[in-house]
Amino acid sequence: MDRLDCDRMFVAVLELGSFAAAATRLGTSSGQASKLVSRLEQQLGVQLFKRSTRALSPTEVGLAYYERVKTLLEAFDALDTSVRDTAQSPVGRLKISVPGTFGSVVLSPVLVEFARRYPRIELDVSFSDRPANVVDEGFDLAIRIGNLSDSSLVARRLSDIHICVAAAPHYLQQFGTPQHWNQLEHHQCITDTNFRDPWHWPFVSCSGEVVNVPVRGRLRFSNTEACLQAAVAGLGIARLPDFIAASALHRGDITLILESWAEPPLGLFALYPSARHLAHKTRLLIDFLAHHFASTAH
């Protein structure tokens, strides 16, 4: 028998004056009501009621216990209601780590929409390409692109990030369009040092094997948008994520090359500390992001 059930029955019996009335209030039988109160008296080692064939009255200890336990039960019920209300209308602070460029270009409007929809949730978002220590730095959630190395975190794949190789049409007219990855050695390659191995660009061979091709070039940036600007300016060939290249490709500022050997897509992941019960606000954001990327997949 649960202690809370015993306490609730005791309070009902004292307030209503009989086991029958208390049993009716709590939806059980008179016999069960009597058992619950007896079990409580056994646990406490005291007599809470004076019983006779005609009357049921609380002892002095019973009255004192009632005053305390009534307050505790009301506080417990208020806490229970508050938690359930939070589940229905989530509230609290979410500290999030997101990649710099992807965060500003892609995630910002999604997070703004999430904040508009859930006005009681506070968002504290850190934009950085430096991999944050999620646990030590107190993040509730981190968004990451690429291969994962921290096995202590729970990862949920949200989407794919496709990587393309592209150059400006006037660069290709001047220096030629490479038809195979082995021709990249004759070209200026614009290097994004945010990639795990920026000096080798992966391609998939006809046999399905991933081949890491060494590249060279005089321009190296730790910023994807700078790589795009250099490519648009005709300064070389760039390796770019699709969310950065899309607008320039649409305008015709750059052209895709070596598409037949495009590398496998990278994963977009939501990472969070392992816990038996994930906070509702965190799960809500993860589900919101997953739904967004699923609905915009192409």
Side-chain angles (χ1 to χ4, degrees):
M1 296 180 186
D2 186 89
R3 175 61 180 269
L4 279 175
D5 292 336
C6 295
D7 284 329
R8 291 187 192 283
M9 184 57 70
F10 163 72
V11 168
V13 171
L14 191 146
E15 291 178 346
L16 299 175
S18 73
F19 288 115
T24 300
R25 174 194 281 183
L26 298 182
T28 188
S29 65
S30 298
Q32 180 67 5
S34 179
K35 287 180 182 179
L36 287 171
V37 173
S38 295
R39 175 60 60 87
L40 179 61
E41 290 177 322
Q42 291 174 10
Q43 291 176 346
L44 295 174
V46 297
Q47 185 179 0
L48 298 173
F49 289 104
K50 297 176 183 177
R51 298 169 175 82
S52 69
T53 55
R54 296 184 178 181
L56 181 70
S57 60
T59 63
E60 184 177 348
V61 173
L63 284 173
Y65 185 73
Y66 168 80
E67 296 296 333
R68 298 291 298 275
V69 79
K70 174 74 170 176
T71 301
L72 291 175
L73 288 174
E74 289 174 347
F76 179 86
D77 289 340
L79 174 61
D80 185 69
T81 300
S82 174
V83 171
R84 293 178 187 276
D85 287 346
T86 298
Q88 297 299 320
S89 180
V91 62
R93 175 173 172 263
L94 270 175
K95 186 177 181 182
I96 313 161
S97 172
V98 302
T101 304
F102 181 79
S104 60
V105 173
V106 178
L107 281 180
S108 288
V110 186
L111 294 174
V112 167
E113 174 59 22
F114 179 82
R116 186 195 66 77
R117 187 171 300 184
Y118 300 101
R120 299 177 66 193
I121 292 181
E122 301 175 25
L123 294 182
D124 182 354
V125 186
S126 174
F127 293 82
S128 175
D129 291 318
R130 175 189 65 84
N133 188 311
V134 175
V135 175
D136 290 350
E137 297 180 47
F139 287 102
D140 298 294
L141 181 69
I143 305 299
R144 290 288 174 265
I145 298 173
N147 297 321
L148 304 179
S149 57
D150 193 341
S151 60
S152 68
L153 300 175
V154 179
R156 177 172 174 182
R157 193 179 186 112
L158 300 174
S159 184
D160 290 335
I161 302 294
H162 295 271
I163 307 298
C164 64
V165 178
H170 57 280
Y171 172 89
L172 298 174
Q173 290 173 3
Q174 182 178 357
F175 298 101
T177 301
Q179 301 300 315
H180 192 274
W181 66 68
N182 59 19
Q183 296 174 357
L184 287 175
E185 62 179 336
H186 305 299
H187 288 269
Q188 287 289 322
C189 292
I190 303 163
T191 304
D192 182 350
T193 57
N194 283 315
F195 282 110
R196 186 179 296 273
D197 184 0
W199 319 115
H200 293 83
W201 291 5
F203 295 91
V204 178
S205 69
C206 295
S207 64
E209 179 186 1
V210 176
V211 179
N212 291 302
V213 178
V215 296
R216 63 180 184 85
R218 67 187 181 92
L219 298 181
R220 295 173 292 278
F221 299 102
S222 63
N223 180 275
T224 306
E225 291 171 302
C227 292
L228 172 62
Q229 292 172 19
V232 170
L235 298 178
I237 298 173
R239 180 180 172 224
L240 303 164
D242 57 358
F243 63 86
I244 288 294
S247 295
L249 287 168
H250 182 72
R251 294 191 302 267
D253 294 338
I254 56 175
T255 300
L256 294 177
I257 62 173
L258 303 174
E259 292 180 81
S260 299
W261 296 282
E263 65 183 275
L266 302 176
L268 174 67
F269 295 94
L271 305 178
Y272 53 92
S274 177
R276 176 177 294 183
H277 299 293
L278 181 64
H280 180 66
K281 59 187 178 182
T282 306
R283 186 178 300 281
L284 196 67
L285 177 56
I286 293 172
D287 290 343
F288 188 88
L289 293 172
H291 175 76
H292 168 79
F293 287 111
S295 64
T296 57
H298 57 274

